[in-house]
């Protein structure tokens, strides 16, 4: 009996699966708030230059731009109704006395004047947050393989609660960025540990549906964020509100059992057996659980535990040819998904529609997108699903280049469709990647994959700055990278209904070369040939 079948015998379809999904899913509701928080806390309201202190009490008219709208970063040097010559009267200057913001709410933009020459700081703040998720993916992935999934998950909850609350009371922009960087690190730990625990606890047939359920927690978290942002217009209180619940999640995490796969492969077979028996009793299979013995568990894991004693690192992700291919293709797919997703998810403000309404639409598309992704993964397979949705996402982003800026409805439809495809890509990749990598390096592989997607999401805000040169450049880059991710996914193997590989050798059996029939040596073939003379008389020379 394989280890997967052994676990499934007491852990198949039962209430424990739903308990683990609820315990791990509730924090995901608030995790969406942190990922997309700057849509609201960094919103840029309408603004214009503040008049000089010595300006007259009358209206201080602003110069107008080529689009006929008042300039946001320039003002007249002198009031336009003065008796100065026309050339002098029309002279302009930057906003030397700050800005006037036309809004009833505040944000980090209004508090630290991140507009005009300083508007790049807004994109930099989001990039710093994503840089934290990148560092977290590198550091916490290997620590989770060494110390376990549960300790990293609990520590990540606590760090997110502390750093998120710290960001709410940041006195300066640098302190705010450091706090958000720490938020990014902790979010990476939450994401990695949550998905690995889901995959390693549920049975093979339930992996897809449980992964989608976790994804739906994130989707509904987007609606919660929109409601909170509407009810709490002050950015500091909004930041604090979405951070405090993680103190409770930290306490709740002690009820989450450790992965028995990790415990068994880390030499903690007795503890793994006790947890398996507890799960069997919880699922109403107490007799099946009592039949399990430590000897049986160790026998089924004899090969895996001996191999797990070796130390694995990120370098092992490139040890064999087939594993190198998987790592390269998965990494490019993750990079393309993160890179393109955050270009759309964080660009809601650019479409000029009510920010709260548009965010509900952008979040709502995830509901049908993830359901369709689940059906496709379950019936067509992970491989076909990932290739297709990245292809559609890249096409929709490139199509935005051809749509004029005044056709806002069509632009919104394309952006929402692309965002839905990329959301489905995330759901597929979390499951697909965890099924591709062997248990001994699964968390390291997931960490590497997340490093790439966080690198993409970190670069996305910086690429959007290139729109100041030519408006079409960002979408051209985002769409092209999505198509490259789809092409890379084409070379990955299918994992539908396949048991989780425990070792690197198990994964190598999926290689196309390993599946090719071995050709017999020529000498052996000759020995098996029947001599011609046994079939009749010698025909002689032709």
């Amino acid at each position: 009996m394989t280890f997967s079948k052994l676990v499934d015998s007491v852990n198949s379809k039962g209430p424990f699966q739903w308990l683990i999904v609820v315990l791990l899913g509730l924090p995901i509701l608030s995790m969406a708030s942190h990922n997309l928080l700057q849509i609201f806390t960094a919103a840029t309201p309408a603004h214009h230059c503040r008049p000089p202190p010595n300006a007259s009490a009358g209206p201080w008219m602003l110069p107008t731009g080529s689009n006929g709208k008042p300039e946001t970063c320039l003002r007249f040097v002198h009031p336009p109704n003065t008796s100065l010559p026309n050339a002098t009267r029309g002279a302009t200057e930057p906003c030397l006395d700050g800005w006037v913001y036309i809004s009833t709410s505040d944000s980090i933009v209004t508090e630290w004047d991140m507009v005009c020459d300083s508007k790049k700081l807004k994109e930099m703040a989001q990039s710093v947050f994503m840089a934290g998720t990148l560092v977290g993916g590198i550091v916490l992935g290997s620590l989770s393989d060494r110390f376990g999934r549960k300790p990293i998950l609990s520590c990540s909850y606590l760090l997110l609660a502390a750093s998120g609350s710290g960001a709410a009371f940041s006195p300066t922009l640098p302190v705010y960025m450091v706090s958000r960087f720490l938020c990014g690190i902790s979010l990476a730990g939450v994401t990695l540990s949550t998905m690995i625990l889901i995959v390693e606890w549920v049975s093979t047939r339930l992996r897809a549906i449980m992964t989608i359920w976790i994804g739906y927690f994130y989707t509904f978290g987007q609606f919660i964020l929109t409601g909170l942002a509407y009810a709490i217009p002050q950015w500091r209180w909004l930041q604090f509100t979405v951070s405090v619940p993680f103190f409770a999640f930290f306490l709740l995490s002690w009820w989450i059992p450790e992965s028995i796969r990790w415990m068994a492969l880390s030499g903690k077979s007795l503890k793994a057996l006790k947890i398996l028996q507890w799960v069997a009793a919880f699922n109403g299979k107490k007799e099946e659980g009592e039949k399990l013995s430590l000897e049986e568990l160790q026998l089924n894991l004899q090969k895996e535990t001996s191999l797990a004693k070796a130390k694995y690192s990120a370098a092992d992700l490139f040890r064999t040819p087939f594993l190198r291919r998987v790592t390269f293709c998965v990494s490019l797919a993750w990079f393309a998904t993160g890179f393109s997703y955050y270009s759309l998810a964080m660009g809601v403000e650019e479409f000029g529609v009510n920010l709260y309404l548009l965010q509900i639409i952008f979040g709502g598309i995830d509901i049908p997108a993830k359901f369709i992704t689940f059906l496709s993964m379950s019936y067509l397979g992970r491989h076909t699903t990932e290739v297709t949705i990245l292809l559609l996402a890249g096409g929709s982003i490139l199509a935005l280049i051809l749509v004029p800026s005044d056709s806002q409805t069509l632009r919104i439809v394309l952006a929402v469709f692309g965002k839905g495809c990329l959301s489905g890509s995330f759901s597929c990749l979390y499951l697909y990647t965890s099924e591709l990598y062997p248990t001994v390096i699964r968390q390291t592989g997931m960490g590497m994959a997340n490093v790439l997607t966080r690198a993409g999401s970190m670069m996305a805000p910086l690429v959007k700055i290139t729109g100041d040169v030519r408006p079409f450049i960002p979408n051209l880059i985002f769409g092209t990278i999505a198509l490259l991710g789809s092409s890379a996914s084409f070379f990955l193997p299918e994992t539908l209904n396949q048991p989780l590989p425990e070792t690197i050798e198990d994964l190598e059996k999926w290689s196309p070369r390993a599946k090719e029939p071995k050709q017999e040596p020529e000498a052996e073939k000759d020995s098996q040939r029947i001599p011609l003379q046994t079939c009749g008389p010698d025909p002689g020379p032709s």
Side-chain angles (χ1 to χ4, degrees), residues 259-272:
S259 166
I260 52 173
R261 286 180 179 274
W262 178 85
M263 286 189 294
L265 293 177
S266 299
K268 300 179 180 180
S269 300
L270 181 59
K271 191 174 181 180

Side-chain angles (χ1 to χ4, degrees), residues 438-488:
T439 300
V440 292
I441 56 169
R442 181 168 297 122
Q443 192 76 337
T444 303
M446 288 291 290
M448 175 67 74
N450 271 270
V451 165
L452 270 297
T453 195
R454 299 312 176 187
S457 58
M458 182 182 69
M459 293 175 61
L462 303 179
V463 171
K464 292 175 78 69
I465 298 175
T466 62
D468 295 338
V469 181
R470 288 288 187 274
F472 68 88
I473 292 180
N475 286 333
L476 178 62
I477 297 175
F478 292 134
T480 302
I481 295 298
L483 294 182
L484 287 176
S486 175
S487 301

